[in-house]
Structures are given as C-alpha cells and as structure tokens.
Amino acid sequence: MRRFIDDMLYILKGVKEIRRIRPWLLTQLVVRGMFEAVAPFINIYMSALIIDGVAEGKPLRLLIEYASITVSLNLAVVLLARLVSRTSQVLKEELAHQYEMILSRKIMDLDYESVENPETHRLKAKFNEMRNMNSGGIWLLMNSFQALMKSLFTIAFS
C-alpha cells in the first residue's frame, strides 16, 4: 500500500511539473482523448437511427438527412481531433525543449566540483537512458495520461 501511495505522489509531482512548464498541454490531451473516444460512437448511434428509420418506414428524405448528419459529424470530429492533435504535438515539443533547458540550467548552477563528479555524470546518463529507452519519466506520464483520458471518455460514452 505504501508503494502505491508513493507512486501516486510521483505521478502528481510529474503532472504538476508538466503543468508548470506547459500549462495547456494536459488540457489539450484531455480534449484530444475526448475527440478520439467519441468518433466511433457517432457512427454507431447514427447507424442505429438510420436502421431504425428503414425498419419503421420513415421517409427517404429523413434517412438522407441522417446520413448527411453522420458524414458532417464525422468530418467535424476528425478535423477537430487533427487540430487538437497538432497543437498538442507542438506543446509536447515545446515541453521537451523547456525541460531540456531546465536540466541544462541545473547543471550550469552546480559547482565545478559537482559537475565533474562521476556520480553526477552517472545520474545524467541514467536519466537520458531512461528517457530514450522507453520514453520513461515525464514522457511516459504524458503518454499514459493521454491514453487514460481516451479510455475514461470511451467508458463514459459507452
């Protein structure tokens, strides 16, 4: 139980760090998850309306309206999802640059002895290895947050 609490504290610390560096990135990821989750349900719902309309013998004009609404909604959701995806990608790149700047500033603020210390080099190499190997650390948190939001919205729309 203690490990779970520690993990949650690390996650909250990471989320706060992301919000401090790029405030709107997490909001963009929530909106992106919402659009990605709602897209399949538009087709499911509208197809059900069209099939029910055919079964009930509704006028052809109404069925064509349903089909055009389906196409329009799909177009709108896809376009908005692409727009949000692009802006969130730009924010992610800005986050990467800002985060690199913060780490560089921390190294510049160290004493010369600390900079040349092998332990400092080992920690920096370990950090870079974790980041590059499986997109660990803050990058993994950001990608997991996006997947979590999509899953939560999928459950809500279901």
Side-chain angles (χ1 to χ4, degrees):
M1 184 66 174
R2 180 66 189 157
R3 182 169 166 82
F4 176 75
I5 292 171
D6 289 342
D7 288 345
M8 287 297 120
L9 291 175
Y10 284 132
I11 289 170
L12 287 175
K13 187 176 179 181
V15 167
K16 286 179 185 177
E17 186 69 15
I18 292 171
R19 287 192 67 204
R20 186 182 66 79
I21 297 172
R22 278 287 136 220
W24 289 101
L25 178 58
L26 293 176
T27 306
Q28 289 281 336
L29 294 178
V30 169
V31 172
R32 183 178 175 184
M34 182 183 68
F35 281 126
E36 288 177 358
V38 77
F41 292 105
I42 291 172
N43 291 328
I44 293 170
Y45 181 74
M46 294 305 292
S47 295
L49 280 178
I50 293 170
I51 291 170
D52 287 345
V54 169
E56 294 172 1
K58 295 211 176 176
L60 182 62
R61 182 172 167 254
L62 182 62
L63 297 175
I64 292 174
E65 283 180 23
Y66 286 164
S68 62
I69 289 171
T70 304
V71 171
S72 300
L73 283 176
N74 276 318
L75 176 67
V77 168
V78 166
L79 289 177
L80 288 173
R82 296 276 172 115
L83 176 69
V84 172
S85 177
R86 179 65 188 140
T87 56
S88 65
Q89 188 62 36
V90 169
L91 289 175
K92 283 180 182 180
E93 291 171 11
E94 289 177 359
L95 175 77
H97 292 296
Q98 291 290 335
Y99 198 65
E100 201 59 44
M101 286 290 285
I102 289 170
L103 293 176
S104 297
R105 283 190 195 130
K106 285 199 183 275
I107 289 176
M108 287 185 347
D109 290 343
L110 290 174
D111 299 337
Y112 180 75
E113 296 169 2
S114 298
V115 171
E116 292 301 318
N117 187 352
E119 182 65 21
T120 304
H121 286 285
R122 188 188 67 75
L123 286 173
K124 186 170 191 257
K126 181 181 176 184
F127 177 78
N128 285 334
E129 178 184 317
M130 183 171 56
R131 184 177 65 187
N132 292 334
M133 197 157 109
N134 6 330
S135 296
I138 205 164
W139 315 113
L140 181 61
L141 176 64
M142 195 169 31
N143 293 332
S144 298
F145 184 79
Q146 179 179 336
L148 174 70
M149 288 299 112
K150 181 180 177 183
S151 298
L152 287 176
F153 279 113
T154 301
I155 291 169
F157 292 136
S158 292

